[in-house]
């Protein structure tokens, strides 16, 4: 592949959900142009601390605006409206470590579809997937055996996967991250730049020198639509 998009995402971030869906939807087209996509679980709390950023819900103006923004994003990306659970925000380290284990152990598609379920269970079903027993139930729906589920949850408590999540998070910080989703993009010339958020893909496509159809307003000509 001549280009690559490294996506740093956390299940606590709804915008990471939108970005993951969008990149997966466009993966075939990206690969046709030689661009690889890889998702990296990170700990957003660690990124906030390491960068000096604060979660949007801690600032009243941002929290108020996010009510509008999340509704618009859900409509744009074609997903059910998010319902912020009473237990939000969660401490996402355990499920994120589990996702690293699953990524290393199983095929890419199984890893990514399992990862997507974290957002779906938390934001659509309002189930606290930071609790091991709830995460185990989620894994069962993806046909993981009892043995596989036990191994996954045990891995999340091991030094290896604690260090793996810390390393992923530090890599994102080293690449300038102050939130999620964070992207590190390499173009065909071998140059690399960061991108942030789920609404800047047009900038990314331009950087990758990809042909794409930008958002355009359709002029009202007064003619009746068929």
């Amino acid at each position: 592949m001549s280009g690559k998009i490294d996506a740093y995402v956390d299940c606590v971030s709804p915008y990471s959900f939108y970005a993951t869906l969008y990149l997966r939807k466009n993966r075939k087209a990206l690969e046709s142009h030689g661009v690889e996509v890889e998702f990296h679980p990170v700990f957003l709390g660690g990124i906030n601390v390491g960068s000096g950023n604060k979660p949007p819900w801690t600032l009243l103006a941002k929290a108020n605006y996010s009510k509008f923004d999340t509704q618009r994003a859900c409509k744009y990306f074609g997903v059910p409206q998010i319902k912020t659970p009473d237990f939000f925000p969660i401490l996402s380290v355990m499920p994120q470590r589990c996702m690293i284990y699953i990524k290393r152990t199983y095929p890419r598609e199984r890893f990514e579809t399992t990862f997507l379920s974290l957002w779906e269970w938390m934001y659509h079903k309002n189930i606290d997937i930071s609790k091991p027993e709830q995460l185990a139930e989620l894994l069962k729906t993806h046909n993981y055996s009892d043995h596989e589920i036990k191994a996954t949850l045990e891995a999340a408590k091991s030094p290896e996967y604690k260090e793996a999540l810390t390393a992923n998070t530090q890599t994102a910080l080293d690449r300038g991250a102050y939130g999620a989703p964070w992207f590190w993009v390499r173009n065909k010339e071998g140059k690399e730049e960061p991108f942030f958020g789920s609404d800047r893909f047009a900038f990314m496509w331009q950087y990758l020198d990809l042909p794409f159809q930008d958002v355009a307003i359709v002029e009202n000509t007064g003619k009746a639509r068929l």
Side-chain angles (χ1 to χ4, degrees):
M1 295 289 183
S2 59
K4 187 177 182 186
I5 301 169
D6 285 297
Y8 297 91
V9 293
D10 188 334
C11 65
V12 79
S13 159
Y15 294 95
S16 291
F17 178 42
Y18 310 141
T20 301
L21 287 170
Y22 189 77
L23 285 173
R24 278 174 51 82
K25 177 181 177 181
N26 288 281
R27 175 178 268 147
K28 184 177 179 180
L30 287 165
E31 289 179 344
S32 75
H33 293 284
V35 179
E36 176 188 358
V37 178
E38 183 177 359
F39 297 98
H40 305 276
V42 294
F43 177 42
L44 180 54
I47 288 177
N48 284 332
V49 171
S51 66
N53 196 9
K54 293 183 179 180
W57 58 85
T58 63
L59 180 63
L60 182 60
K62 284 186 177 181
N64 288 336
Y65 176 75
S66 69
K67 299 172 186 177
F68 300 100
D69 201 45
T70 53
Q71 290 179 4
R72 295 164 184 162
C74 287
K75 183 178 180 180
Y76 180 81
F77 288 103
V79 296
Q81 287 296 322
I82 279 176
K83 297 176 290 183
T84 303
D86 294 337
F87 53 80
F88 183 86
I90 63 167
L91 183 63
S92 63
V93 288
M94 192 273 291
Q96 292 293 96
R97 291 172 190 161
C98 287
M99 292 306 103
I100 295 175
Y101 173 81
I102 289 173
K103 179 182 178 181
R104 292 181 177 181
T105 308
Y106 299 97
R108 183 181 74 182
E109 183 64 16
R110 196 172 192 192
F111 156 62
E112 292 180 3
T113 54
T114 304
F115 205 165
L116 285 171
S117 288
L118 297 185
W119 287 290
E120 292 164 354
W121 275 49
M122 183 164 67
Y123 285 115
H124 296 156
K125 297 183 178 182
N126 285 178
I127 296 173
D128 187 351
I129 44 85
S130 69
K131 297 184 180 300
E133 63 274 17
Q134 302 287 18
L135 184 55
E137 288 300 314
L138 181 154
L139 295 176
K140 285 182 182 179
T141 67
H142 288 273
N143 298 316
Y144 291 90
S145 68
D146 290 343
H147 173 74
E148 290 172 324
I149 293 170
K150 182 179 179 181
T152 301
L153 295 176
E154 286 297 318
K157 296 185 288 185
S158 71
E160 177 182 356
Y161 287 93
K162 289 180 180 179
E163 292 169 6
L165 182 60
T166 298
N168 279 5
T169 303
Q170 187 59 53
T171 297
L173 283 167
D174 291 344
R175 290 177 163 180
Y178 58 84
W182 190 262
F183 308 99
W184 190 254
V185 181
R186 184 185 72 242
N187 64 19
K188 60 186 178 183
E189 297 175 355
K191 297 179 180 178
E192 298 176 323
E193 287 189 8
F195 293 81
F196 172 67
S198 60
D199 56 354
R200 294 173 175 86
F201 287 111
F203 299 163
M204 196 182 294
W205 306 156
Q206 288 176 332
Y207 182 71
L208 289 165
D209 195 25
L210 301 178
F212 69 98
Q213 294 177 326
D214 204 355
V215 175
I217 298 173
V218 178
E219 183 179 354
N220 184 355
T221 62
K223 295 180 180 180
R225 294 181 179 178
L226 298 179

